[in-house]
Amino acid sequence: MNIHIAPSLLSADFSDLKNEVINIEKAGATHLHLDVMDGAFVPNITFGKDVISAIRKHTKLIFDIHMMVENPERYIKDMVDAGANSITIHAESTKHLDRAINLIKSYGVKACVALNPATPISVVENVAYLLDMILVMSVNPGFGGQKFIPQALDKIQKLRELYPDIDIEVDGGINDKTAKLAKTAGANVLVAGSYVFGGDYKQRIESLK
Ligand code: DX5
Ligand code: ZN
């Protein structure tokens, strides 16, 4: 499977988002990971549809929206209208995962489910056939710059064995060293925030591939 690098906007300079997305695209990224946080599902608040649609005008990057929001069903249409290409919801954030996934798919965008570090892979067993991607959190969601939780590797490996054709994304604490481990375990979409934005964008993206 091809390896994709998805820089996370969370670590960009929020006072200069337009130039940040232009520069990250020039540096060779194909995806942009956008962390939408509501201050309820996670302790932090970030941005929503208006910021996403404002930067959408300046880039052709694939918008990979990671919703860390309670009852994300309420905002799926907003994310689609703002320019989402794929939408990830957390298994822990809704009582009706199957319904929410089908809602995402009804708009013709890719559907993905994220699993917190403590969530077992069995929660996606009955919906996997609907999914384009599964996101394994390798930190507890809410903040950039946290340390990679190595137990995520075992989860990635099991998911890859069960679902050879689904994209497996890993998010949290990815750098040149942990990227290698995650790829070996079977991840093919790597999110990286503080690592990519903390140095030369092009060189850091290359080092993750
Ligand atoms: C954390 C977010 C991540 C975050 C990753 O809740 O989901 O996407 O930006 O940041 P790093 O790569 O710095 O761990
Ligand atoms: Zn994320």
Side-chain angles (χ1 to χ4, degrees):
M1 269 185 154
N2 281 338
I3 303 292
H4 301 286
I5 309 301
S8 168
L9 194 71
L10 190 58
S11 290
D13 178 353
F14 276 20
S15 71
D16 194 19
L17 288 179
K18 175 179 166 181
N19 287 311
E20 288 283 56
V21 295
I22 291 170
N23 289 333
I24 210 77
E25 186 168 8
K26 274 194 197 141
T30 51
H31 292 57
L32 186 67
H33 184 84
L34 296 138
D35 291 296
V36 176
M37 303 186 189
D38 68 350
F41 181 70
V42 288
N44 199 7
I45 300 177
T46 55
F47 48 79
K49 66 174 171 60
D50 294 336
V51 170
I52 296 170
S53 61
I55 58 174
R56 178 77 280 181
K57 300 183 188 85
H58 303 291
T59 176
K60 292 196 163 56
L61 289 166
I62 294 167
F63 274 16
D64 167 34
I65 313 271
H66 179 192
M67 300 186 74
M68 286 156 275
V69 171
E70 288 289 351
N71 301 316
E73 299 84 341
R74 298 174 295 154
Y75 298 105
I76 301 295
K77 185 172 185 305
D78 280 352
M79 295 299 133
V80 173
D81 292 344
N85 298 104
S86 73
I87 297 179
T88 297
I89 55 173
H90 268 263
E92 310 85 3
S93 68
T94 175
K95 290 196 175 82
H96 298 286
L97 190 56
D98 180 280
R99 180 184 283 152
I101 294 165
N102 279 299
L103 179 63
I104 297 171
K105 289 170 68 92
S106 75
Y107 291 110
V109 300
K110 291 190 172 176
C112 172
V113 168
L115 305 175
N116 277 339
T119 303
I121 61 173
S122 57
V123 303
V124 290
E125 191 181 320
N126 294 300
V127 291
Y129 76 102
L130 294 167
L131 298 176
D132 297 290
M133 182 161 83
I134 299 170
L135 168 53
V136 175
M137 289 304 303
S138 41
V139 297
N140 286 293
F143 305 95
Q146 302 182 82
K147 202 170 165 294
F148 185 84
I149 299 173
Q151 280 74 15
L153 295 170
D154 179 55
K155 255 166 137 171
I156 293 169
Q157 200 173 338
K158 287 186 176 136
L159 286 166
R160 179 49 76 212
E161 277 165 22
L162 286 168
Y163 311 115
D165 301 324
I166 298 182
D167 286 330
I168 308 284
E169 184 174 44
V170 60
D171 183 7
I174 292 294
N175 55 38
D176 50 347
K177 292 178 190 71
T178 53
K180 218 171 264 162
L181 302 173
K183 284 185 287 183
T184 305
N188 68 307
V189 184
L190 310 184
V191 177
S194 52
Y195 179 71
V196 168
F197 283 94
D200 180 80
Y201 300 174
K202 194 178 165 84
Q203 184 243 310
R204 295 231 164 160
I205 289 169
E206 283 307 315
S207 75
L208 294 175
K209 287 182 182 165

